[in-house]
């Protein structure tokens, strides 16, 4: 360790401050390792528990590791319908979640970016009014508009529907764009030179063409940042799915919470933990691969708003 | 201006409006109309079976919400719980800024990135998983906390202890996100400020409180407001972690319980409106202040 040799070979005054630095360093790293332990423990506990039997998991005599690593809970998870625990299989729940993701995000993002382009680069009449009008929607909490939406969706037959229409309350509103995202794009577009767009105009390109050929590529980093968080938001969404979905149409989070409900009486803890583990893994993998993006985007959002 | 140019401008304006028409429709239908409907519902007595509205006693829902013995007790309990749980926000912020300072410390070089990635992990994990795992961890009879302490702490039935548990859980899940925002804020502070402080022989603590913290005010304000707005809408804590326990019931849980579960939509609409007004005021405050703080200095 080069630091140690440096400490030992230096003169007394330097040595004292170097020793002090080393102690500070050791203390700081000890603290970081402690916090890492606190952060990771719930994950470790969730995973270990999912390999236990229920009597091990609910025993007063608690053991860290399962006696034998059993995959019974994961097998149960693959046979939820046969075991009459849920009408939605685990894979189906993942598919339902993905259906919402892939319909809402591309359309909603396109709509939001197009509107942002109009706001920031075009001669939009009553610009200020429209912007304030749209942004005022950001301050209305979802819970406040939930009840009339629920009634309306029930009236048109989306609530209590047996089929695919159940997913509509979670898909249709998203197709109209996301105002928070639009606001982010407007901020981002401020740094896009107007000359780029004017050049396109001189070439005689239509506005839509300019948007697709020039603007979309220019704001691609902003799109990626926002899409990642929207994807995460839909994947982890729980409130609306738990209200609107039933039968085989549950999303992942709605299914996992149902595991907790349907097993409440017998409290099948390992099954709930196995579901939580499998439900969290995809996002963790995506996060680990794109962590730079996650962290940069989050930082950007915080500074810009 | 030539006629051709005028035509071009008119066409541009028309296209520009066309480009924002979809979000305008979305906002009008899903927010504006819904908000008006919630206002109307809140003054109506809605009969679920006959599907009829009765406006003969327009203030009945509000009277019920604030004075009826059962409903007002539940509502004020929900408001009280929601507000008390906001105490977790400053705790999470202190934890977050401490983590940020720790990772930005000069002595910490190796593994900085890895720690940062690890600490942010809870932010990508779903509220469902987090709540269910922590519900197991805090379980009074077989949860690991009571077993390790060899104690018999009633985490769920005691209305104060359940708040302590929820706040601990929320601190765990929020500190990583707060940390990232603070690190971003810290990196934006010009290094020259610290260099001139070094010339004056300022200590690290002094520099933190006199330079770093004041310059992070916009970040702090952003985190406070967004967390309060989020906190006022908390639902999963009550539904999943508390499983409806009295000490965990929040305003949104109340709205769900009465509006969706019990079909008392008028009462729940009145509660929704109270919540919406609160949040709107907070958002306006945020916009006012963030403009002043971010752009004027």
């Amino acid at each position: 360790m080069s630091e140690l040799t440096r400490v030992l070979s230096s003169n007394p005054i330097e040595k004292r401050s170097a020793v002090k630095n080393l102690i500070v360093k050791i203390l700081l790293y000890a603290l970081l390792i402690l916090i890492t332990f606190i952060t990771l423990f719930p994950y470790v506990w969730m995973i270990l528990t999912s390999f236990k039997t229920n009597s091990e998991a609910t025993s007063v005599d608690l053991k860290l590791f399962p006696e034998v690593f059993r995959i019974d809970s994961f097998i149960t998870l693959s046979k939820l319908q046969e075991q009459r625990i849920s009408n939605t299989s685990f894979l189906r729940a993942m598919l339902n979640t993905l259906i919402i993701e892939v319909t809402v995000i591309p359309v909603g993002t396109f709509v939001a970016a197009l509107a942002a382009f109009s706001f920031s680069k075009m001669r939009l009449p009553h610009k200020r009014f429209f912007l304030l009008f749209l942004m005022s929607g950001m301050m209305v909490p979802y819970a406040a508009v939930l009840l009339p939406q629920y009634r309306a969706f029930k009236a048109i037959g989306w609530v209590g529907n047996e089929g695919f229409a159940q997913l509509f309350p979670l898909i249709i509103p998203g197709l109209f764009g996301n105002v928070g995202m639009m606001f982010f794009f407007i901020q981002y577009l401020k740094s896009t030179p107007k000359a780029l767009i004017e050049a396109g105009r001189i070439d005689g390109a239509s506005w839509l063409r300019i948007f697709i050929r020039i603007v979309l590529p220019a704001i691609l980093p902003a799109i990626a940042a926002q899409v990642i968080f929207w994807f995460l938001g839909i994947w982890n969404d729980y409130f609306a799915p738990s209200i609107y979905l039933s039968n085989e149409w549950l999303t992942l989070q709605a299914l996992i919470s149902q595991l907790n409900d349907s097993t409440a009486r017998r409290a099948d803890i390992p099954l709930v933990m196995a579901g939580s583990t499998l439900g969290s893994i995809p996002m963790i993998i995506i996060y680990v691969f794109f962590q730079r993006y996650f962290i940069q985007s989050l930082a950007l959002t915080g500074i810009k708003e | 201006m030539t006629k051709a140019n005028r035509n071009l401008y008119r066409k541009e304006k028309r296209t520009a409006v066309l480009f924002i028409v979809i979000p305008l429709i979305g906002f009008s239908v899903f927010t504006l109309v819904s908000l008006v409907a919630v206002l109307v519902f809140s003054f109506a007595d809605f009969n679920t079976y006959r599907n009829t509205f009765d406006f003969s006693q327009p203030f009945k829902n509000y009277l019920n919400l604030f004075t009826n013995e059962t409903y007002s007790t539940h509502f004020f309990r929900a408001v009280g719980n929601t507000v008390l749980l906001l105490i977790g926000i400053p705790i999470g912020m202190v934890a977050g800024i401490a983590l940020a300072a720790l990772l930005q410390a000069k002595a910490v070089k190796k593994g900085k990135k890895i720690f940062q990635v690890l600490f942010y992990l809870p932010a990508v994990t779903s509220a469902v998983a987090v709540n269910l795992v922590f519900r197991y961890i805090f379980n009074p009879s077989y949860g690991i906390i009571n077993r390790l302490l060899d104690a018999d702490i009633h985490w769920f039935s005691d209305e104060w202890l359940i708040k302590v548990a929820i706040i601990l859980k929320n601190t765990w899940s929020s500190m990583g996100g707060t940390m990232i925002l603070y690190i971003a804020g810290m990196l934006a502070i010009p290094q020259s400020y610290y260099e001139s402080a070094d010339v004056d022989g300022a200590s690290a603590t002094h520099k933190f409180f006199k330079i770093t913290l004041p310059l992070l005010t916009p970040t702090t304000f952003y985190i406070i407001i967004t967390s309060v707005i989020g906190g006022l809408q908390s639902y999963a804590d009550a539904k999943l972690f508390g499983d409806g326990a009295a000490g965990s019931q929040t305003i949104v849980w109340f709205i769900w319980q009465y509006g969706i579960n019990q079909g008392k939509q008028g009462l729940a609409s009145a509660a929704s409106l109270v919540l919406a007004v609160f949040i709107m005021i907070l958002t306006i405050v945020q916009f006012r202040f963030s403009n002043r703080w971010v752009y004027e200095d």
Side-chain angles (χ1 to χ4, degrees), chain A residues 269, chain B residues 134-147 153 155-156:
Chain A
I269 301 265
Chain B
F134 273 84
R135 188 172 165 77
Y136 175 46
I137 287 176
F138 277 102
N139 186 294
S141 39
Y142 47 77
I144 188 164
I145 292 187
N146 273 9
R147 296 283 37 98
I153 306 170
W155 290 108
F156 298 132

Side-chain angles (χ1 to χ4, degrees), chain A residues 131 136 206 246 275:
Chain A
L131 189 62
S136 65
S206 72
S246 58

Side-chain angles (χ1 to χ4, degrees), chain A residues 7 16 27 33 35 43 59 66 99 134 141 160 170 184 210 225 296:
Chain A
V7 169
R16 195 179 302 158
L27 284 177
I33 288 161
I35 299 163
Y43 294 96
S59 158
I99 290 174
L134 283 179
L170 302 166
F184 186 83
I210 292 176
Q296 281 172 354

